[in-house]
Amino acid sequence: MPGGAVALHATSDVNRIEAPVTLKAYLMCAFAAFGGIFFGFDSGYINGVTGSAVFIHSIEGDGVSALTSSHNSLIVSILSAGTFFGALIAGDLAEWYGRRPVIIAGCFIYMIGVILQAAHSSGLGLIVSGRLIAGFGVGFVSAIIILYMSEISPRKVRGALVSGYQFCITIGLLLASCVDYATENRNDTGSYRIPICIQFAWGIILATGLFLLPESPRYLVKKGNVDRARHVLSRLRGQPPSSEFIETELTEIIANHEFEKNLIPDSGYWGSWYQCFTGGLWTSNSNLRKTILGTSLQMMQQWTGVNFIFYFSTPFLKSTGAISNSFLTSIIFTIVNVVSTPISFWTMEHVGRRPVLIWGAAGMFFCQIIVGAIGDTIGFNKTHLDASGNTIANNIAAVNAQVAFIAIYIFFFASTWGPAAWVCIGEIFPIQIRARGVALSTASNWLWNTIIAVITPYMVDSDKGNLRSNVFWVWGGLCGCCWLYAYLLVPETMGLSLEQVDQMMAETTPRTSAKWRPTKTFASEMGMAGDHKLVHDDEHKELA
């Protein structure tokens, strides 16, 4: 055996390529989902802060009761603009330095942005620059945490664990709503500085925890560090390094890496980006097809309109004249979001990704259409002025029905498209382009998040588009597009290893993918299985 080489047992049994799941392994993988708190809290706290009288006066001056559409749009959307570029940059950094260091770096960039926001006292400078810089940090974390979790999680619970990321997003949104509600009546800068400063804690907790977690074994294999990958797998799976389960899983990762290298050879920096767009549009397993699938899936998640609720529901509900406490109603929406998401922990692993997306889109479509129809006839759109000149809804019961269907819509989103879109983008890319593919997909999410945050005030503000309830016709129509998209284009990846997803996408179509079952391992395909051992080091591979 060559010096420095590592001997590994290979298998041709597709059911023995991964160790049984242990509680320790589950908890280690689950902790990484805490990164969702960043996304959720940072997205959610601004909904209440932009309604704070003290904050409004610090931006617009005394005597003004609301932010202008342009200022509201800028303050809300600038975070998403930062995350878009942060996510793109993170894909490169994760390839060069590893998954874990990039997430930790994102935490520190995020905390710098929080400090700048907390220093805001007047004007737009610090709040906008702080949210932009914090956005870069959130972009690092949101792109690479999905990649990291997908690569370390056991295949049998990968969907549930990655869904935990969306669950943490909802918890972050809920915490933000609660903090906003607790500080809304303060008459000092604490009304906006307290929600901003609490963000600091999330950066410290995640960065500290990631220092204690290992690097992705798939990244280590890609970099040729097989011995370290073995020990990392041993920690993650709760098995001794010499375990047959560890050796067979590691062999399968190595074999897949060698297989993908033959298909997608290393070609330098620009060449590696180019590889994300190679292959035919009509070839089911082409890199171009996978990149389009990942980026469009995240686009569709934003098209559902959910961030209209979480970014702008407070001022929107206040404008109806029927909601006495719009802050409290926003918290109720967020609670529905939180309690609905854990349903996906079960459905991801027992129903599948594809059915969840299809039925979720259908449910959201009907809820949005109902909200729009009620609003056009007897709900939000039908108001009058009382003796004091305040806007009052003509039919309070109808408005309450609209609020109820918005809550049901959130239930469908939180239990389906919220987690499933993140799960899928972590599974569909081959190891050679996975970091950049996930980064592009996450950047797509933030790009459309930015677009929606920018245009929504112009769609619904009374002095602009003034769509009122008609905005739900827009979201409803887009949810219909999501249904068609999921039915035609999204494959079923439940129960497959990341390496088997490659095989499935090469051998089947989205509509028949649920019936596909693996029949061979990559080790057997590369001639490494049977009664052999794989001998592998940085520059040498042979059968012994």
Side-chain angles (χ1 to χ4, degrees):
M1 186 181 299
V6 181
L8 297 166
H9 289 284
T11 183
S12 58
D13 185 350
V14 296
N15 296 313
R16 292 184 61 81
I17 60 170
E18 194 171 82
V21 182
T22 64
L23 179 61
K24 175 187 174 183
Y26 190 94
L27 293 176
M28 287 179 69
C29 298
F31 176 80
F34 186 84
I37 296 282
F38 275 60
F39 188 159
F41 195 95
D42 221 18
S43 298
Y45 91 87
I46 201 66
N47 183 28
V49 165
T50 52
S52 161
V54 177
F55 182 77
I56 292 169
H57 295 161
S58 74
I59 300 293
E60 306 292 353
D62 293 337
V64 179
S65 60
L67 295 174
T68 65
S69 296
S70 58
H71 287 166
N72 194 14
S73 173
L74 174 63
I75 292 168
V76 173
S77 65
I78 195 66
L79 175 90
S80 302
T83 55
F84 170 76
F85 291 105
L88 286 179
I89 295 168
D92 282 337
L93 296 178
E95 285 292 274
W96 298 336
Y97 303 111
R99 291 30 168 163
R100 193 174 63 110
V102 174
I103 300 171
I104 294 172
C107 293
F108 286 104
I109 294 171
Y110 173 80
M111 288 188 280
I112 292 171
V114 170
I115 291 171
L116 291 176
Q117 292 175 72
H120 163 79
S121 58
S122 64
L124 290 168
L126 285 174
I127 193 70
V128 169
S129 60
R131 279 180 64 77
L132 178 65
I133 292 171
F136 272 90
V138 174
F140 276 34
V141 173
S142 62
I144 307 307
I145 207 80
I146 293 295
L147 172 65
Y148 179 71
M149 291 182 68
S150 297
E151 290 190 337
I152 69 173
S153 298
R155 63 185 171 120
K156 294 178 181 177
V157 293
R158 186 177 61 242
L161 285 170
V162 179
S163 295
Y165 174 75
Q166 176 66 23
F167 181 55
C168 285
I169 292 175
T170 67
I171 291 175
L173 286 166
L174 176 61
L175 290 173
S177 294
C178 291
V179 172
D180 284 343
Y181 184 63
T183 60
E184 67 168 319
N185 293 320
R186 291 181 67 104
N187 295 317
D188 56 18
T189 57
S191 65
Y192 64 86
R193 281 186 172 145
I194 291 173
I196 289 171
C197 291
I198 286 176
Q199 298 174 94
F200 211 86
W202 315 139
I204 293 173
I205 293 170
L206 185 62
T208 302
L210 263 294
F211 272 116
L212 305 176
L213 290 179
E215 182 54 85
S216 160
R218 287 174 168 87
Y219 169 79
L220 294 172
V221 166
K222 187 176 181 183
K223 293 300 181 181
N225 197 339
V226 177
D227 191 54
R228 188 177 167 203
R230 178 202 291 270
H231 287 284
V232 166
L233 268 180
S234 174
R235 283 185 64 191
L236 290 171
R237 303 294 182 254
Q239 300 277 335
S242 59
S243 163
E244 180 184 349
F245 285 113
I246 299 301
E247 293 199 350
T248 53
E249 182 174 359
L250 185 55
T251 304
E252 186 71 358
I253 294 171
I254 293 170
N256 174 256
H257 176 53
E258 299 293 342
F259 179 81
E260 295 293 346
K261 276 181 66 177
N262 292 336
L263 296 178
I264 314 173
D266 292 330
S267 52
Y269 176 75
W270 294 111
S272 62
W273 276 106
Y274 172 74
Q275 291 293 346
C276 294
F277 304 96
T278 56
L281 182 61
W282 306 110
T283 303
S284 63
N285 198 39
S286 73
N287 289 345
L288 174 63
R289 180 80 169 260
K290 291 176 179 177
T291 299
I292 291 175
L293 177 62
T295 54
S296 59
L297 189 60
Q298 289 294 310
M299 175 186 74
M300 289 289 180
Q301 190 203 54
Q302 291 299 308
W303 278 15
T304 62
V306 71
N307 281 327
F308 168 71
I309 304 298
F310 294 120
Y311 286 166
F312 301 108
S313 62
T314 298
F316 179 77
L317 292 172
K318 192 180 294 184
S319 71
T320 66
I323 308 298
S324 58
N325 192 326
S326 56
F327 270 107
L328 186 58
T329 305
S330 294
I331 290 177
I332 292 171
F333 287 158
T334 309
I335 291 172
V336 172
N337 195 25
V338 172
V339 299
S340 303
T341 302
I343 295 172
S344 67
F345 298 174
W346 186 87
T347 57
M348 284 293 145
E349 305 301 351
H350 294 85
V351 178
R353 285 64 154 156
R354 178 178 162 83
V356 160
L357 289 169
I358 291 172
W359 287 105
M364 289 188 291
F365 169 78
F366 286 113
C367 288
Q368 299 275 27
I369 295 302
I370 290 170
V371 173
I374 295 174
D376 262 345
T377 52
I378 55 175
F380 285 164
N381 292 13
K382 306 298 180 180
T383 60
H384 63 275
L385 297 178
D386 64 10
S388 302
N390 298 316
T391 301
I392 302 296
N394 293 349
N395 191 324
I396 302 296
V399 171
N400 289 338
Q402 285 183 276
V403 170
F405 274 102
I406 291 173
I408 297 170
Y409 152 76
I410 293 171
F411 160 79
F412 278 111
F413 174 85
S415 57
T416 60
W417 275 80
W422 293 110
V423 172
C424 288
I425 67 165
E427 297 175 328
I428 60 176
F429 294 102
I431 191 170
Q432 292 293 90
I433 65 165
R434 187 174 295 139
R436 291 187 171 97
V438 174
L440 283 168
S441 301
T442 307
S444 172
N445 179 288
W446 288 109
L447 174 64
W448 285 98
N449 193 308
T450 304
I451 291 170
I452 289 171
V454 167
I455 66 174
T456 297
Y458 296 95
M459 294 168 65
V460 299
D461 281 6
S462 58
D463 60 338
K464 297 295 190 299
N466 197 28
L467 286 180
R468 307 184 78 177
S469 291
N470 291 322
V471 75
F472 291 97
W473 291 105
V474 176
W475 305 135
L478 292 174
C479 286
C481 295
C482 291
W483 180 90
L484 187 65
Y485 171 89
Y487 178 75
L488 294 177
L489 298 176
V490 178
E492 182 54 73
T493 56
M494 179 179 66
L496 303 178
S497 70
L498 296 182
E499 291 70 35
Q500 288 168 346
V501 171
D502 277 345
Q503 288 180 305
M504 177 273 293
M505 294 186 74
E507 298 174 7
T508 188
T509 66
R511 281 176 286 176
T512 60
S513 57
K515 299 177 182 178
W516 186 87
R517 297 293 181 272
T519 57
K520 57 187 175 182
T521 64
F522 272 98
S524 63
E525 187 163 334
M526 296 296 289
M528 301 173 183
D531 298 324
H532 302 291
K533 289 184 179 180
L534 172 67
V535 177
H536 185 97
D537 64 12
D538 289 6
E539 300 182 358
H540 185 88
K541 175 170 64 67
E542 65 181 25
L543 293 179

